[in-house]
């Protein structure tokens, strides 16, 4: 992998290619573009960060492009935990190569992996680790009993995105399905809106604090929220941008 950007007040010519996994064309086109325009955010594409000129308050690309800044908030290349790297189980970035559906380590049949330790192309959100744990629990029992493993984890992620002014967006997606519009958790009823900005979504995020401490951490099942992504209540058509104005 390319080295991370260098941070110094002297000009350097370290080439850095930054890659990201998207959440789907519909999500980016219909939701993010609307919010970005609404909040006056400018996006600079095709910019490979090479150096931060701290004295000049400039972000410098490897091809000498420059972007001035007042306050820089940067996210470095993510890597796995140090103990994973020290154990020899991790890859070059410190993540454990993991079967995407069974959660068994690819190189060690007696090891199962979940959460931030995996190299899976899924979100690192807490909801993903929770969904993974349900599949992992089954597969631990299958492995000890000598039975075939359940390829049940589908990359399911479910999370709120705060958008400000007492509103939020709720998205639900997996390996193969990008975020879709619809209602959650009751199909057609909600009360929360998928892929839409609403006050109810914000209230749902606040209510999740209680759910986190009193249901998720103690390992109690969360009603109507399954480890596998459900298509119930979702639309496979492109959502209208007007849905983002819902209150």
């Amino acid at each position: 992998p390319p080295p991370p950007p260098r941070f110094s007040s002297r000009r350097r010519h370290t080439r850095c290619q930054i890659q990201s996994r998207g959440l789907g064309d519909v999500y980016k086109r219909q939701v993010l573009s609307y919010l970005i325009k609404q909040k006056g955010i400018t996006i600079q594409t095709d910019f490979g960060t090479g150096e931060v000129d701290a004295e000049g308050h400039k972000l410098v690309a490897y091809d000498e492009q420059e972007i001035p800044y007042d306050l820089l908030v940067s996210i470095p290349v993510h890597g796995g935990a140090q103990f994973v790297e020290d154990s020899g189980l991790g890859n070059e970035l410190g993540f454990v190569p993991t079967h995407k559906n069974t959660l068994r380590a690819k190189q060690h049949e007696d090891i199962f992996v979940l959460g931030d330790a995996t190299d899976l192309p899924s979100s690192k959100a807490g909801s993903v680790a929770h969904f993974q744990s349900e599949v992992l629990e089954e597969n631990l029992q299958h492995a000890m009993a000598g039975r075939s493993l359940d390829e049940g984890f589908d990359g399911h992620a479910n999370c709120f995105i705060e958008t400000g002014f007492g509103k939020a967006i709720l998205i639900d997606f997996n390996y193969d399905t990008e975020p879709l519009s619809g209602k959650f958790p009751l199909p057609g009823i909600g009360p929360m809106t998928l892929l839409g900005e609403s006050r109810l979504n914000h209230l749902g995020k606040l209510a999740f604090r209680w759910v986190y401490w009193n249901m998720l951490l103690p390992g109690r099942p969360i009603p109507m929220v399954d480890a596998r992504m459900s298509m119930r209540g979702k639309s496979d058509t492109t959502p209208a941008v007007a849905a983002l104005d819902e209150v």
Side-chain angles (χ1 to χ4, degrees), residues 62-75:
Y62 62 84
D63 62 357
E64 303 301 310
Q65 292 185 72
E66 295 183 353
I67 296 179
Y69 68 85
D70 296 313
L71 173 66
L72 175 65
V73 180
S74 62
I75 301 175

Side-chain angles (χ1 to χ4, degrees), residues 174-224:
N174 64 11
Y175 288 139
D176 303 315
T177 305
E178 64 184 30
L180 300 173
S181 60
K183 294 293 183 178
F184 183 88
L186 298 175
I189 299 175
M192 290 177 283
T193 301
L194 289 171
L195 202 63
E197 186 184 32
S198 73
R199 298 189 189 282
L200 280 175
N201 287 346
H202 171 68
L203 295 176
K205 171 65 180 298
L206 297 180
F208 184 73
R209 295 177 183 175
W210 185 92
V211 173
Y212 179 84
W213 290 107
N214 295 277
M215 299 182 71
L216 195 150
L217 287 187
R220 299 187 177 97
I222 301 177
M224 298 175 287

Side-chain angles (χ1 to χ4, degrees), residues 79-142:
Q82 187 64 45
F83 75 88
V84 173
E85 184 175 346
D86 294 342
S87 71
L89 295 173
N91 57 18
E92 65 275 8
L93 289 178
F95 298 112
V96 181
T98 307
H99 188 284
K100 62 184 291 188
N101 302 116
T102 67
L103 304 178
R104 171 181 267 171
K106 290 182 177 179
Q107 299 170 0
H108 304 273
E109 291 191 355
D110 58 342
I111 295 178
F112 288 83
V113 196
L114 81 165
D116 290 356
T118 74
D119 70 339
L120 300 180
S122 57
S123 170
K124 298 295 187 184
S127 65
V128 176
H130 175 74
F131 297 143
Q132 288 174 340
S133 69
E134 297 186 22
V135 177
L136 186 144
E137 178 189 7
E138 293 182 8
N139 280 337
L140 281 177
Q141 298 181 53
H142 287 193

